[in-house]
Amino acid sequence: ELDDELRSASQLERELRHELITLDAQASTAAAEVASRREELLASTLGALQGLAERARGTESLIAERQRSLRAALAASADENVIATLEADAAKLASDLVDLERDELELLAQRDELTGARAILAETEDQYAATWGDASGANPADQLAAARERVEILERSLASANEATRRVSQRLDEVATREQDALERLSRTADELKIAEASVHERRGLLEEADRESTHAEAQRQRADENLRELSDVAARTQARAEALSRALDEFSGAGSRALIAQLDGVLGAFLDLIDVDPGAERAVESAAGASLSAVVVDGRRSARQALETIRREGGAGLVLPAFDESSEVHATPAGCVALRSRVRARSDAPAHVSRVLDALFARAFVANDWESGIDTAVANPHLIIVTPDGDRFASSGWRVASGRAVVTRSTVDEAAAAAAAAASELPGAQDVRQRAETSVLSARRLLGEQNALLSSETAEYERLTRERARLETSISDLSEQSAVLLSERGEVQNELIEVTVHMESELSAVPLLEQAVLEASQRASWAREALTTLTAHRDQVAELATALSRREAEFGERRRLIGQRRVEVESRLEGHSVERAQAASRREKLEFDIAALGRLALLVRTAAEEIALSQSAMASTYREQLEASRAGAERLEALRRQRSLSEGRLSELSESARRADIEHAELAVKISNLHESIHRDLGEEPDSISHAEAPDLADGVTIEQRLAELEARISSLGPINPLALEELTALEERYKDLDAQVSDVRHARRELQEVLRALDDEIMATFSAAVADVNEHFSSLIATLFPGGQGRLILTEPDDPLNTGVEIEVRPMGRNVRRVSLLSGGERSMAALAFLFAVFRSRPSPFYLMDEVEAALDDVNLQRFLSLVDEFRYEAQMLIVTHQKRTMEAADALYGVTMAPGGSSKVVSQRVKRNAPELMVPGVAP
């Protein structure tokens, strides 16, 4: 049926579309015809003709007015006949006055006639009022209509009451059925609720057990994380300490000078590489050994001489310790002290010369317990060197408190490297434990999630059943209340039905009486209308008489006023003089000529006006015909548009119907496909052979409908299902895998970043250590240049932590033990700063250097040393120096100055000079 309907709809739709195309073509043709009309042009032409006609009428009126004025002038300029004319006018006016008196007598008679007619009219009105009375009383027809309307209302009320009674009874039956059904569903819901409550209780126990397992696994993972983190930190710290100690050992060992003489015969190695120091004695050894810590040990005097020659030839700086064959003097150990030689020994693989070096170096060195006892011992034994474990040093060369550095030996470095390797070897095991803990946590979380999901599902089902039970109880209560309300409502409706029936019977009994009254009132109204018509005609006749009398009285008064005024004027003119008759004759001739010319002109204007009127009439006829044709075309176009709108509406309705049929057809196809699939899935049969399939086995006394209802109840008891659960699970698993992969990537990136940070720290520490070593080496040489015989070096405040260390500058001029730069004079501080500055320049060269009055505090001797240093850098880089010193200017290759003449503006003066000139004077250069 749907296919047939769709085919017929398609055929009808094609017909409607063809009809729409035809209507569109016809509408386009009609619109073109309407557009081709020239109504606007005709209207414009007709307007122009009308304007010309108005102008002709205006011109004609103007000519007529001119003629009247000329005739009046001609009449006013009459010659010798003026007096006669005036006398005739006076006689005529006297005759008119006699006629007026006669007319006045007639007006008096008409006034008397009008008074009598008004009296008769008043008598007639009184008679009409007495006979027919006031028509504003109650109308029987209106009463009859009101009665019939009330009867109709009561009939509708009666039908409504009957219908309400039927609906209330039907609703009572429905409410009773729904209440019984709700009671049955409430009983089933209570049983299902007990089962769901037991299931939820059991599932909560399983969830608590899974939660405990997850918490235990999480705790194990946290412990594994903490252990791995601690091992990683220990490995990083030990590795950093080993590297820092290695760099400190290189620094202590004088890596620069050692590299210069490492290949010479007799060189045994760095002093610190050849000894071992007891733990706790490092600072004491550093204080006692002093600068010898960075020395290189050689096997004798010849080797020492050869090493010093090599260091000086290469321009380096360093210290060597030769092993002499002479035995060292043995000193008695002071009370409360320990010989420092017993805390220091040569390494097991070191040559025997090292022991002799240690004997010679520490023969006079003893370790006191603290600095107070050390001072006492040093005072008692001025020829000895007394040190403390904190690095205090008391000797005849001076006393020092708390050395800031602890000596680093090769064994210390090896121990730190071994500790770092051991810490690094423990990391893989901790990582494996961490991975196993992570796996346990994931498994426990997965189990916890499954139990939680099951508990949520069962809890949701329990809550749904609880809500269902509450809803059913509420529904039963509402249905009971509805039953009571409906019973009360039915009683009220039945009472209202009885009242309406009684009222309608009383109204029906009054209708015949009202109908008889309506007939009588109709006859009486007819007679009253005839009498009213006669009275109205009489009133109109009296009104006409009164109007005519008033009009004649007004005309009579106006004529009397005009005749009196004219008579006075004529009499006044007759009393005047008759002069100027000669001028009046010529003026009369001129006026007659003008009147004749105006007559000819009026004839021409009248002829043109007639022609314009004919043209206007013809044009108006053509315009009306054109308007009629345009109106007909517009009506036809409007009809075509209405017809097209109707056809388009029918097409839209047909399209909507076809669309609904298509949807219904598709739904039926889906239903058929689902039925076929259900037959294949549930019965294992072909759809064509389902009529031959055997019925399922049923228990005795159970019908298929009952079995179907039971299965539907079981399905509904399962609660709402989520058909997208598998897809959501797949999506969540994919999201979990993505997040897990992202977490792994983040951890891997974190490890790589840590490796990069460690590498950067290593590179920074290596670069910083190399830079410090280079700057220290150049600083020592520059101090020796700027302070002849003096010494200087750079000291790291935290050698074990190069990333956080500070740098201290130590300078000792010759013959003085001052080390702090703050204790030097201003010139000496400037020299020390210049030494550090140029040491940086030499370590990290630059294309040019800019200095601003750096030599302002120098005296002549130190200024000469500074200029010597500048001369060394002259060929390495370009130097720009702002100065006020004349000797610095003499050493320059070019001078630039700023000068300003009196009353002028400033300008730059430059001059390139020859070096080593005896004296240079630049005019105008500011000092």
Side-chain angles (χ1 to χ4, degrees), residues 787-899:
F787 293 91
Q791 298 179 359
R793 61 174 179 171
L794 303 179
I795 303 173
L796 299 179
T797 59
E798 296 290 339
D800 296 338
D801 189 7
L803 295 177
N804 298 314
T805 186
V807 179
E808 292 183 355
I809 299 177
E810 184 178 288
V811 177
R812 285 188 296 178
M814 182 181 64
R816 298 165 61 186
N817 196 24
V818 177
R819 294 190 179 185
R820 291 183 178 275
V821 178
S822 60
L823 300 178
L824 300 176
S825 64
E828 290 174 338
R829 284 200 297 269
S830 298
M831 295 295 287
L834 288 171
F836 177 76
L837 187 64
F838 280 92
V840 174
F841 290 168
R842 279 189 173 173
S843 300
R844 299 292 183 268
S846 177
F848 69 92
Y849 306 108
L850 175 62
M851 288 174 281
D852 186 6
E853 299 186 17
V854 295
E855 83 287 24
L858 302 182
D859 55 12
D860 293 340
V861 177
N862 289 329
L863 180 59
Q864 184 59 42
R865 294 173 183 171
F866 166 71
L867 294 177
S868 301
L869 187 61
V870 170
D871 191 62
E872 293 180 8
F873 278 83
R874 180 187 300 274
Y875 303 103
E876 298 178 7
Q878 185 179 11
M879 305 189 72
L880 305 175
I881 302 175
V882 179
T883 181
H884 290 280
Q885 296 284 354
K886 181 178 179 181
R887 295 179 59 188
T888 305
M889 298 180 190
E890 293 174 352
D893 295 331
L895 293 176
Y896 298 91
V898 179
T899 182

Side-chain angles (χ1 to χ4, degrees), residues 207 209-210 213 442-452:
L207 180 63
E209 183 178 356
E213 293 179 359
L442 293 178
S443 177
R445 286 183 176 177
R446 188 178 298 109
L447 178 60
L448 180 62
E450 294 174 356
Q451 295 296 333
N452 197 5

Side-chain angles (χ1 to χ4, degrees), residues 26 43 54 163 235 286 298 333 372 496 519 667 863 898 924:
Q26 294 176 358
E54 291 295 332
E163 180 65 21
E286 191 274 336
V298 297
T333 302
E372 295 176 347
E496 183 180 357
L519 290 176
E667 291 177 351
L863 180 59
V898 179

Side-chain angles (χ1 to χ4, degrees), residues 701-747:
V702 178
T703 63
I704 292 180
E705 289 77 9
Q706 293 175 349
R707 178 60 176 167
L708 179 60
E710 181 183 355
L711 293 176
E712 289 178 350
R714 290 179 59 186
I715 291 174
S716 63
S717 66
L718 295 176
I721 63 173
N722 184 7
L724 302 177
L726 293 176
E727 297 179 3
E728 293 177 357
L729 177 61
T730 304
L732 289 175
E733 288 178 349
E734 292 178 356
R735 177 170 173 77
Y736 173 76
K737 291 179 182 179
D738 293 339
L739 293 177
D740 188 50
Q742 293 176 9
V743 171
S744 300
D745 293 341
V746 170
R747 290 172 178 165

Side-chain angles (χ1 to χ4, degrees), residues 98-133:
V98 173
D99 293 337
L100 285 175
E101 291 176 357
R102 186 174 56 254
D103 292 338
E104 187 175 2
L105 294 176
E106 294 178 359
L107 285 176
L108 291 175
Q110 290 180 0
R111 290 193 189 99
D112 295 338
E113 183 182 357
L114 177 61
T115 303
R118 285 177 176 174
I120 295 171
L121 177 61
E123 183 179 356
T124 305
E125 288 177 348
D126 295 338
Q127 185 179 0
Y128 177 82
T131 302
W132 304 107

Side-chain angles (χ1 to χ4, degrees), residues 215-230 433-434 437:
T215 303
H216 179 66
E218 186 70 27
Q220 288 182 344
R221 188 184 68 173
Q222 291 179 357
R223 288 195 295 271
D225 285 338
E226 293 176 357
N227 187 25
L228 179 60
R229 190 161 47 250
E230 290 176 358
V433 173
R434 168 65 174 73

Side-chain angles (χ1 to χ4, degrees), residues 149-218:
E149 184 177 358
R150 288 194 297 272
V151 169
E152 291 178 359
I153 292 173
L154 290 173
E155 288 176 351
R156 289 196 296 270
S157 299
L158 184 61
S160 177
N162 290 326
E163 180 65 21
T165 303
R166 186 188 63 78
R167 287 199 302 269
V168 170
S169 300
Q170 184 179 359
R171 289 175 61 189
L172 274 173
D173 297 337
E174 292 177 355
V175 168
T177 303
R178 290 169 57 192
E179 186 174 5
Q180 182 63 29
D181 184 34
L183 289 172
E184 294 176 358
R185 292 172 61 188
L186 179 61
S187 178
R188 292 196 301 271
T189 302
D191 297 337
E192 294 172 357
L193 188 61
K194 292 179 180 178
I195 297 173
E197 185 176 5
S199 177
V200 168
H201 182 70
E202 181 181 359
R203 186 64 59 191
R204 283 177 178 169
L206 295 175
L207 180 63
E208 291 176 357
E209 183 178 356
D211 190 15
R212 288 193 295 272
E213 293 179 359
S214 176
T215 303
H216 179 66
E218 186 70 27

